[in-house]
Amino acid sequence: MQPRTETVMARAFAEITFTPAVLAEQERQGTAGNYARFLSPEAAPADAIGPAEADFIARRDGFFQATVGENGWPYVQFRGGPEGFLKVLDEKTLAYADFRGNRQYMSVGNLRADGRVSLILVDYPNRRRLKVWGEARIVDIEEDPELIAGLHDRSYRAKPERAIVITVAALDWNCPQHLPQRFTLEELEPALAPLRAELERLRAENAELRRDAAAGAG
């Protein structure tokens, strides 16, 4: 399923991100007219997870998460796990099991003070990315062990300490400009497997020719 295109105007993200300073810079750079439609009452809110977003999220094995500290400094962290570890609970709610890491707890500490969070999910092979803004709440494992159990893939060897539950405020499909096309080994495997098989065939054929040549020479 294809994501929303730019013709579907996403009002919710513009209401969050088009601050007075941003609007002033758009005016200064001559792009204000291009983006005014995003703030119009007719623009689609784009504040709920649809089928395209749900499918995209289910295929990701990581995302970038931004929080803000009490001193105003942003903190960006990569969160990784098995494919689909970020779960869609309903059209307005995302959640994931937060695994034990280096135990600095910067993201967790930031979220306890200020629940605002932003995620960027990237599909590098297809050069697509989805941006999500929301309000996060922390659910410690003692509070709701069933929730954490439902979010945790037991085949993934990591210790969940809590759940991060995010109420979605806005979504936006980002343009692919300057997004590099990259592939994991798993993504390359369908293309590499036939090449490996052909290489093995050629090696076997070459070995047979060498044996025949040696036998003829003898």
Side-chain angles (χ1 to χ4, degrees), residues 147-167:
L147 172 64
I148 283 80
L151 295 173
H152 178 44
D153 180 351
R154 292 188 179 277
S155 67
Y156 186 68
R157 298 185 64 180
K159 181 178 176 59
E161 293 187 325
R162 66 194 62 79
I164 307 297
V165 181
I166 301 168
T167 301

Side-chain angles (χ1 to χ4, degrees), residues 5-204:
T5 64
E6 194 177 350
T7 57
V8 178
M9 294 173 285
R11 187 174 67 248
F13 103 89
E15 290 174 344
I16 290 173
T17 60
F18 289 3
T19 62
V22 170
L23 291 171
E25 188 63 23
Q26 290 174 0
E27 189 69 38
R28 192 159 34 245
Q29 299 293 340
T31 63
N34 299 343
Y35 296 108
R37 68 188 192 280
F38 288 101
L39 291 170
S40 71
E42 293 77 24
D47 58 355
I49 301 164
E53 288 81 15
D55 179 70
F56 185 84
I57 291 166
R59 295 173 185 271
R60 306 279 69 79
D61 60 1
F63 55 87
F64 297 95
Q65 173 182 273
T67 58
V68 61
E70 293 163 287
N71 55 7
W73 282 98
Y75 178 66
V76 179
Q77 184 179 51
F78 180 79
R79 309 299 300 175
E83 184 177 300
F85 79 100
L86 179 63
K87 309 288 187 187
V88 177
L89 302 188
D90 57 50
E91 67 174 10
K92 292 288 291 183
T93 312
L94 296 169
Y96 66 90
D98 190 32
F99 304 120
R100 176 173 292 178
N102 59 16
R103 312 200 79 182
Q104 291 181 336
Y105 300 117
M106 288 187 284
S107 292
V108 174
N110 287 350
L111 290 174
R112 288 198 189 277
D114 186 335
R116 289 177 298 172
V117 67
S118 182
L119 313 180
I120 294 182
L121 294 81
V122 184
D123 173 2
Y124 287 102
N126 296 299
R127 300 180 69 234
R128 296 166 62 202
R129 55 187 158 191
L130 177 66
K131 298 182 293 189
V132 181
W133 292 263
E135 290 279 347
R137 62 184 177 90
I138 296 170
V139 180
D140 290 312
I141 197 165
E142 300 82 8
E143 294 178 61
D144 195 340
E146 290 186 9
L147 172 64
I148 283 80
L151 295 173
H152 178 44
D153 180 351
R154 292 188 179 277
S155 67
Y156 186 68
R157 298 185 64 180
K159 181 178 176 59
E161 293 187 325
R162 66 194 62 79
I164 307 297
V165 181
I166 301 168
T167 301
V168 174
L171 299 157
D172 182 50
W173 289 97
N174 210 186
C175 93
Q177 189 176 15
H178 307 304
L179 186 63
Q181 191 173 40
R182 293 173 178 161
F183 298 86
T184 64
L185 290 175
E186 291 79 6
E187 289 162 344
L188 284 171
E189 186 57 33
L192 292 176
L195 295 176
R196 290 197 189 98
E198 178 65 8
L199 179 60
E200 288 303 313
R201 187 189 69 77
L202 292 172
R203 281 175 172 166

